[in-house]
Amino acid sequence: MKTIFVGIMSVCFLTGCTADDEYTQGQWIRRSDFDGVARCGASSFTIDDKGYLCCGYRGSNRDLLKDCWAYDISGNYWTQCADLPDEASGRHKAAAFALNGKGYVTTGSIKDEPYYLADTWEYDPATDTWLQKDDFAGGMRYGALGFTVGGYAYVGTGYNDNYLKDFYRFDPNAASGSQWQIVNGFEGGKRVYGLAFVIDDVAYIGFGENNDTYVEDFYSFDGTTWTRLRDIANTNDDEDYDDDYAIARSSAVAFVIDGLGYVATGDRNGVTSDYWVYDPEEDLWHGDSDDDYTPLTSVHYGTGGSSRSLAVGFSTGSRGFVLTGSSGTSYFDDVYELLPYELEDD
């Protein structure tokens, strides 16, 4: 398998060179800690140069959260936004996405019966207000995934006492009662805690778990056609695959940097700290199996971040972040940015 080294330039003086094997690929830089309480299972979306984090869970003896915060990516600081309104329940494991300059949170899990939610809320950063939209047409669930392609949003999969694989298209400008429409054609497996990322207006969908088994199929969707891609495991014994693929996981974070998809952290028989990179032109993944990519536990200029699952991410297309999450009964409020083209001293 080829190793990706994009845009790296190094200069060695005659007496100052260091062997390549003393470095790992990528640097994790700690950014301004999240100003809210530590949590896992939050929801996030990115609008322009701000990442938004909403809701989440902070322990069995605490209420589920309904606050919302904005992270100024350029300025590296946080601002508290309006909470979800009184009519909305605090929740975790909800789907979220941004569309036409507004953010959306839908579905999720609560403590009390019926335990799952289907309501949809629109956040307008221009007015710092929330507006209720149509309930998600697929019904109550948690652990669903969401993305935007071709001017529409899509939400699907998840769990509601059954593992799910359905998808629905969302148009916030449609008449009330018709904002969600079913989208057929997805032949992939059922899953909860899957993920999606979007490159050049094409969504890439996979990961998650089904009946305590990590799902290994991987698909693209351009708003019209679902295409099955190579699995995220060497299930076909293809020589183009890495024999040590260790990508499949649930509750992970995804972001995009310069046309490549990144998947980091998550649960894989325990919480993880590694990251993998997807090249859509090759339909191949590159990562820790032999590329020696720097894990989140090795942070430049400081103590390493913890392995974690149920974290969230921000993605601007040129910058990617991982923040919050949990490991066992520990909850996190730290924020890290990956600089993928830098080398970390090993």
Side-chain angles (χ1 to χ4, degrees):
M1 184 186 69
K2 298 178 181 178
T3 303
I4 299 177
F5 289 97
V6 183
I8 298 174
M9 298 182 65
S10 60
V11 178
C12 285
F13 294 99
L14 292 178
T15 60
C17 292
T18 306
D20 288 343
D21 60 5
E22 294 184 20
Y23 293 96
T24 56
Q25 181 71 16
Q27 284 185 3
W28 291 96
I29 304 295
R30 187 162 182 169
R31 300 305 188 192
S32 177
D33 287 351
F34 171 52
D35 280 12
V37 297
R39 67 192 69 194
C40 70
S43 302
S44 67
F45 49 85
T46 306
I47 301 174
D48 297 326
D49 198 36
K50 290 185 178 178
Y52 293 83
L53 183 150
C54 305
C55 307
Y57 176 81
R58 57 172 179 161
S60 59
N61 295 323
R62 306 291 185 92
D63 291 333
L64 294 175
L65 301 162
K66 56 192 297 183
D67 54 348
C68 183
W69 299 77
Y71 174 63
D72 189 298
I73 292 172
S74 296
N76 190 33
Y77 64 87
W78 289 88
T79 302
Q80 187 164 13
C81 306
D83 291 359
L84 269 71
D86 292 342
E87 311 92 278
S89 298
R91 69 195 65 201
H92 65 144
K93 304 173 184 175
F97 52 87
L99 180 63
N100 300 328
K102 296 179 181 179
Y104 297 84
V105 175
T106 185
T107 67
S109 178
I110 57 177
K111 291 182 179 179
D112 302 319
E113 290 191 62
Y115 301 117
Y116 317 126
L117 300 169
D119 52 342
T120 302
W121 296 89
E122 174 188 86
Y123 177 72
D124 186 346
T127 59
D128 190 29
T129 56
W130 292 89
L131 176 67
Q132 188 167 10
K133 309 298 284 186
D134 285 357
D135 285 359
F136 175 61
M140 297 181 290
R141 66 187 64 197
Y142 70 85
L145 60 87
F147 57 88
T148 57
V149 167
Y152 297 98
Y154 297 84
V155 172
T157 70
Y159 183 81
N160 65 355
D161 293 330
N162 175 34
Y163 292 89
L164 302 165
K165 55 176 290 187
D166 52 345
F167 277 89
Y168 291 79
R169 188 181 75 178
F170 177 67
D171 180 0
N173 298 318
S176 178
S178 60
Q179 293 169 354
W180 293 97
Q181 300 292 331
I182 192 167
V183 175
N184 294 311
F186 179 63
E187 64 181 37
K190 296 178 176 182
R191 73 198 69 215
V192 65
Y193 304 138
L195 57 79
F197 53 85
V198 176
I199 300 173
D200 294 331
D201 212 30
V202 175
Y204 296 86
I205 299 122
F207 297 83
E209 60 184 87
N210 180 10
N211 290 304
D212 298 322
T213 300
Y214 297 114
V215 183
E216 296 177 341
D217 57 354
F218 190 57
Y219 287 80
S220 66
F221 179 63
D222 63 5
T224 302
T225 303
W226 297 93
T227 302
R228 183 160 186 171
L229 305 170
R230 291 172 173 168
D231 290 354
I232 55 173
N234 191 0
T235 55
N236 297 320
D237 197 28
D238 188 326
E239 291 183 359
D240 289 335
Y241 275 75
D242 179 345
D243 290 337
D244 296 322
Y245 259 15
I247 311 170
R249 65 193 62 200
S250 70
S251 308
V253 168
F255 50 85
V256 172
I257 299 176
D258 298 338
L260 301 176
Y262 289 75
V263 170
T265 67
D267 186 283
R268 182 179 171 84
N269 300 315
V271 291
T272 64
S273 63
D274 60 339
Y275 76 92
W276 288 76
V277 185
Y278 178 71
D279 185 342
E281 293 187 1
E282 294 183 304
D283 186 21
L284 285 174
W285 292 84
H286 306 262
D288 269 348
S289 58
D290 63 2
D291 292 330
D292 208 14
Y293 282 19
T294 309
L296 182 62
T297 48
S298 179
V299 173
H300 196 63
Y301 296 131
T303 303
S306 299
S307 299
R308 65 194 66 201
S309 66
L310 291 172
V312 297
F314 298 146
S315 180
T316 67
S318 59
R319 300 177 69 178
F321 299 79
V322 173
L323 57 154
T324 65
S326 65
S327 176
T329 57
S330 298
Y331 300 88
F332 305 121
D333 57 10
D334 44 356
V335 179
Y336 300 93
E337 179 178 5
L338 176 64
L339 307 181
Y341 310 139
E342 303 295 328
L343 295 177
E344 178 67 21
D345 189 346
D346 197 28

